[in-house]
Amino acid sequence: MPGGDAREAAKTVTGSLERLPHLPELPARGPGADMIGRTTGLLVELYAHVEPSGWRLSDRPGRDTRRARSWLGEDLDALEEFTQGYEGALKVQAVGPWTLAAALERRGGEAVLGDPGACRDLAASLAEGVRGHLAEVRRRVPGAAPVLQLDEPSLTAVLLGRVPTASGYRTHRAVDRAVAEGALREVTAAADGAPVVVHSCAPDVPFGLLRRAGAAGISFDFSLLTERDDEQIGEAVEGGTALFAGIVPGTDAPLSDPAGSVMGVRTLWRRLGLDPGTLAESVVITPACGLAGASPAYARDVLAHGARAARSLADNPE
């Protein structure tokens, strides 16, 4: 979400999204509120600090780690305030193990991604951090049924060997798909029964791999789908995987009528020969990616627009 006011963000989210509110992230506050810094603050027995090139592993927790944890605590305080008496699904987010490994540097400046042992340690630390974070959410909002979103925008690049090294002259070797799946499964299992949604706003989302790793839902930029994805999407829907379809622009843009926004989803359903009656069960309408780059007014409009579009899809699936 845009801005830096945790209470205002929590008030907007809980007021606009009655059935699936979430814990807002406010990266405009600076390092530690960004998605990588926020997740490094969750890690157990691993620490990081900010360098000009990005986040780098540290020997001990420092100012940047403390700032990340402080902002997360502030956000949880605000969420708790506006969810008094709430019962139902409540989504929280963390960066997934592979995007984190691609973004987080080892002490020498190269990405964790280049060291298989460091990748394993990072996934294990993240799994423990996620477990503790979800426990804290359950304690603060007793009626909540947490949903964990893992942000993995770099996963496709990791699988295809497209993540550049620090010099920029080479790329890191592609990670074996079985290894990638195993790390994701470890973090997913740490959710202790909470459904896990994996988000990627990159092309060529590996739907099959994510489902095998335990994802109950997959979030993606709907505009990046091609007919090559049809078979995987059809299998996902028939297998009970929820689709978080990013159909609304994440930065300020004219919004069409809500029914028109979901026309592409209806068209996809017809092309795949799926029962229109399953749309309301299978699809969640979302922005294409985060709203941090939007104006506050547009962000509020997008949340309301998405809710109306979802109701349109449920009321008139044809």
Side-chain angles (χ1 to χ4, degrees):
M1 294 288 286
D5 188 327
R7 291 186 73 256
E8 181 62 29
K11 180 180 178 181
T12 297
V13 166
T14 55
S16 301
L17 305 174
E18 297 177 359
R19 297 189 61 185
L20 186 58
H22 61 265
L23 175 66
E25 296 179 359
L26 302 172
R29 292 180 295 195
D34 60 297
M35 61 185 249
I36 299 299
R38 188 178 183 88
T39 299
T40 63
L42 294 177
L43 297 176
V44 174
E45 297 183 359
L46 285 179
Y47 314 103
H49 67 278
V50 178
E51 291 281 343
S53 55
W55 285 88
R56 183 173 295 181
L57 290 174
S58 304
D59 293 324
R60 60 184 64 85
R63 178 182 59 188
D64 296 325
T65 296
R66 290 192 293 272
R67 183 190 299 120
R69 292 175 176 173
S70 175
W71 271 329
L72 178 58
E74 181 181 315
D75 295 339
L76 286 167
D77 289 344
L79 183 71
E80 183 178 1
E81 177 183 349
F82 288 100
T83 51
Q84 294 295 311
Y86 174 76
E87 295 184 356
L90 177 64
K91 185 170 74 68
V92 298
Q93 303 81 235
V95 175
W98 295 109
T99 295
L100 193 60
L104 188 58
E105 298 175 355
R106 289 172 281 159
R107 292 170 182 82
E110 285 292 353
V112 169
L113 184 63
D115 183 333
C119 287
R120 288 192 294 271
D121 292 343
L122 184 62
S125 175
L126 177 61
E128 286 305 308
V130 160
R131 184 176 284 112
H133 183 40
L134 291 175
E136 176 72 1
V137 171
R138 291 183 176 104
R139 183 186 68 79
R140 287 173 175 263
V141 189
V147 176
L148 173 66
Q149 175 178 311
L150 294 176
D151 289 316
E152 282 284 16
S154 298
L155 177 59
T156 299
V158 166
L159 295 173
L160 297 178
R162 294 177 180 170
V163 177
T165 59
S167 69
Y169 294 119
R170 297 184 299 109
T171 58
H172 289 282
R173 182 180 302 174
V175 171
D176 183 88
R177 295 177 78 88
V179 173
E181 182 182 322
L184 282 163
R185 187 181 298 110
E186 180 178 8
V187 179
T188 299
D192 293 333
V196 176
V197 178
V198 180
H199 167 73
S200 173
C201 48
D204 301 317
V205 176
F207 287 90
L209 184 153
L210 297 177
R211 292 176 59 222
R212 292 192 299 274
I218 300 173
S219 173
F220 53 92
D221 183 340
F222 191 82
S223 70
L224 298 179
L225 290 182
T226 68
E227 292 192 8
R228 295 196 310 271
D229 299 308
D230 281 5
E231 183 177 351
Q232 292 190 84
I233 291 175
E235 290 175 352
V237 173
E238 291 175 351
T241 303
L243 302 182
F244 285 60
I247 63 167
V248 189
T251 53
D252 292 40
L255 296 174
S256 66
D257 69 284
S261 293
V262 292
M263 188 64 68
V265 180
R266 293 191 182 96
T267 300
L268 173 65
W269 239 244
R270 286 195 295 269
R271 190 167 76 234
L272 296 178
L274 296 170
D275 178 5
T278 63
L279 273 168
E281 304 169 1
S282 302
V283 177
V284 178
I285 301 301
T286 76
C289 205
L291 294 170
S295 66
Y298 180 78
R300 289 192 296 271
D301 289 345
V302 162
L303 296 182
H305 182 92
R308 289 194 298 269
R311 282 194 292 270
S312 168
L313 202 60
D315 295 342
N316 183 22
E318 299 287 349

